[in-house]
């Protein structure tokens, strides 16, 4: 029940009003049985789940959500996440408790 309340609140906070009308009404639970994409590789279930929720939330079709396209979808999602992390990891956002924080790199020799 918690997710049925939390998801509309999150969508109202983050989805622009020109895409979705703001609403905090509790979600209805419906079982979709037609045109649901089938995930044949169990290693891709997280990507399928994220894109499936995104399609439902934005009222988009599932066209293109299939095993043949999942690798490209995974790369695109990884790039989008990387961009988000880069934006939030600016030096001004990393001053934790007055102590400067440096993002470590794989080739950084100063890491002990």
């Amino acid at each position: 029940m918690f997710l049925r309340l939390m998801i509309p609140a999150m969508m109202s906070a983050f989805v622009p009003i020109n895409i979705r009308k703001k609403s905090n009404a509790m979600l209805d639970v419906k079982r979709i049985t037609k045109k649901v994409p089938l995930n044949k590789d169990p290693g891709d279930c997280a990507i399928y789940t994220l894109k499936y929720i995104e399609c439902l939330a934005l009222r988009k079709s599932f066209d293109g959500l299939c095993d043949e396209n999942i690798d490209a979808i995974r790369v695109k999602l990884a790039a989008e996440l990387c961009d988000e992390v880069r934006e939030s990891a600016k030096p001004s956002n990393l001053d934790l408790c007055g102590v400067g924080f440096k993002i470590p790199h794989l080739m950084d020799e100063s890491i002990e």
Side-chain angles (χ1 to χ4, degrees), residues 5-27 57-59:
L5 294 170
M6 184 182 70
I7 291 172
M10 288 175 53
M11 289 175 56
S12 291
F14 298 113
V15 177
I17 197 162
N18 61 336
I19 296 176
R20 181 184 184 276
K21 186 176 93 172
K22 293 191 180 292
S23 171
N24 288 327
M26 186 183 295
L27 291 178
L58 298 175
R59 294 188 173 105

Side-chain angles (χ1 to χ4, degrees), residues 67-87:
D67 283 345
E68 290 79 20
N69 295 335
I70 204 68
D71 288 335
I73 292 170
R74 182 186 300 106
V75 169
K76 183 176 185 282
L77 182 61
E80 290 169 355
L81 289 171
C82 184
D83 287 344
E84 290 295 322
V85 168
R86 186 177 315 135
E87 285 298 313

Side-chain angles (χ1 to χ4, degrees), residues 9 13 33-34 37 43-44 57-58 63 72 81 104-105 110:
T33 57
K34 294 182 181 179
D44 293 328
L58 298 175
D63 294 343
L81 289 171
H105 297 280
S110 66

Side-chain angles (χ1 to χ4, degrees), residues 1-106:
M1 181 162 142
F2 177 72
L3 289 175
R4 292 176 56 198
L5 294 170
M6 184 182 70
I7 291 172
M10 288 175 53
M11 289 175 56
S12 291
F14 298 113
V15 177
I17 197 162
N18 61 336
I19 296 176
R20 181 184 184 276
K21 186 176 93 172
K22 293 191 180 292
S23 171
N24 288 327
M26 186 183 295
L27 291 178
D28 291 330
V29 176
K30 297 177 185 176
R31 183 172 179 87
I32 299 173
T33 57
K34 294 182 181 179
K35 295 187 178 182
V36 176
L38 178 62
N39 175 20
K40 295 176 186 171
D41 182 359
D44 293 328
C45 59
I47 303 299
Y48 264 91
T49 301
L50 289 172
K51 296 311 281 184
Y52 188 83
I53 291 170
E54 181 181 1
C55 290
L56 287 174
L58 298 175
R59 294 188 173 105
K60 301 289 183 183
S61 74
F62 303 112
D63 294 343
L65 185 55
C66 60
D67 283 345
E68 290 79 20
N69 295 335
I70 204 68
D71 288 335
I73 292 170
R74 182 186 300 106
V75 169
K76 183 176 185 282
L77 182 61
E80 290 169 355
L81 289 171
C82 184
D83 287 344
E84 290 295 322
V85 168
R86 186 177 315 135
E87 285 298 313
S88 64
K90 290 182 179 175
S92 61
N93 297 335
L94 296 175
D95 190 19
L96 307 174
C97 302
V99 178
F101 178 77
K102 181 181 176 191
I103 299 174
H105 297 280
L106 291 176

